[in-house]
Amino acid sequence: MGLLNEIVGAVVAEEVLDKADPNAGLLKKGMAAIAGFEGEKVIEEKVDEHLQQNQQADDSQQ
């Protein structure tokens, strides 16, 4: 699901920019898409780290 999530992140970021600045140019839209693509990677990594920490904490309590 990684690539699909990254594509969704790019599309969402571009749509948000379109709502915030309807007159945004191609450069701004491209930058928003890249930020959304890369930002989703970071979010996914953080969620995975959090889940691993919770799993380790659960394992150590048992």
Side-chain angles (χ1 to χ4, degrees), residues 7-8 11 22 24 26 28 37 41 47-48 58:
I7 292 170
V8 169
V11 171
L26 184 61
K28 283 185 182 179
F37 186 86
K41 285 183 190 178
V47 168
D48 287 342
D58 290 344

Side-chain angles (χ1 to χ4, degrees), residues 10-52:
V11 171
V12 168
E14 194 274 329
E15 287 294 321
V16 168
L17 175 66
D18 194 39
K19 298 289 182 194
D21 184 5
N23 297 323
L26 184 61
L27 180 60
K28 283 185 182 179
K29 288 182 180 185
M31 290 172 36
I34 292 170
F37 186 86
E38 294 295 324
E40 195 286 324
K41 285 183 190 178
V42 172
I43 291 170
E44 190 171 355
E45 288 172 6
K46 295 297 180 184
V47 168
D48 287 342
E49 287 176 14
H50 181 73
L51 292 175
Q52 287 176 357

Side-chain angles (χ1 to χ4, degrees), residues 1 4 9 13-14 16-17 24 32 54-55 61:
M1 291 293 289
L4 180 61
E14 194 274 329
V16 168
L17 175 66
N54 285 346
Q55 183 65 33
Q61 290 178 355

